[in-house]
Amino acid sequence: MAKKTKQQSGGTPATVALAAAGVAFTVHAYEHDPAHPSYGEEAAEAMGVSPDRVFKTLVADVDGALTVAVVPVAGRLDLKALAAAVGGKRAAMADPALAERTTGYVRGGISPLGQRKRLATVLDASASKHATICVSAGRRGLEVELAPADLAGLTGAVLAPVARA
């Protein structure tokens, strides 16, 4: 079952959702450096985890609907592939303020789990190569490690190749 840490005791919507679902997960906390140029790369470095196992949560606008893409920090989001994965035609990155208001999380801490409003979610197919992956636990400096199948199940995610090198 879940391994609890001091940071989890207060919980975030993401860790609360995971605990309520009863899935196995581990919380990893690290000291966030506001000067670091990449939240995802910072998380991978701080945890000593390969960047292809740490996934970033991006919010895009696909034909007027906000959509979540979960891709490895080692890669980039392919907007055309994201649009195709959800049956859309055009995708662009969402306005950061709108993404924050809609998900209930701040940039750099947006989790695919426990969002204020459930959005269509696409998990990059590369996630299935790993026993576990790490995603934001809902705030900067806090990651959650879980099985990709559990993440897909809890978010209703479609698995599709939406990342490129």
Side-chain angles (χ1 to χ4, degrees), residues 56-60 67-71 77 82 112 120-124 162:
K56 55 190 170 186
T57 306
L58 303 172
V59 181
T67 304
V68 172
V70 185
V71 299
L77 174 61
L82 176 64
T121 302
V122 180
L123 175 59
D124 185 65
V162 294

Side-chain angles (χ1 to χ4, degrees), residues 58-62 64-68 92-107 110 115-117 119:
L58 303 172
V59 181
D61 179 316
V62 178
L66 290 183
T67 304
V68 172
M93 293 308 296
D95 172 67
L98 178 60
E100 289 180 345
R101 278 194 313 275
T102 304
T103 63
Y105 293 117
V106 298
R107 223 171 116 214
I110 294 178
Q115 294 180 357
R116 186 176 288 152
K117 179 180 178 187
L119 301 173

Side-chain angles (χ1 to χ4, degrees), residues 62-154:
V62 178
D63 297 337
L66 290 183
T67 304
V68 172
V70 185
V71 299
V73 301
R76 296 178 50 119
L77 174 61
D78 181 333
L79 289 166
K80 285 184 180 183
L82 176 64
V86 295
K89 294 182 184 195
R90 290 180 26 103
M93 293 308 296
D95 172 67
L98 178 60
E100 289 180 345
R101 278 194 313 275
T102 304
T103 63
Y105 293 117
V106 298
R107 223 171 116 214
I110 294 178
S111 177
L113 299 155
Q115 294 180 357
R116 186 176 288 152
K117 179 180 178 187
R118 188 169 179 158
L119 301 173
T121 302
V122 180
L123 175 59
D124 185 65
S126 68
S128 61
K129 297 178 192 173
H130 308 287
T132 62
I133 61 171
C134 298
V135 297
S136 175
R139 73 173 174 253
R140 296 171 188 151
L142 197 65
E143 294 280 311
V144 65
E145 182 177 351
L146 73 164
D150 288 336
L151 178 62
L154 290 171

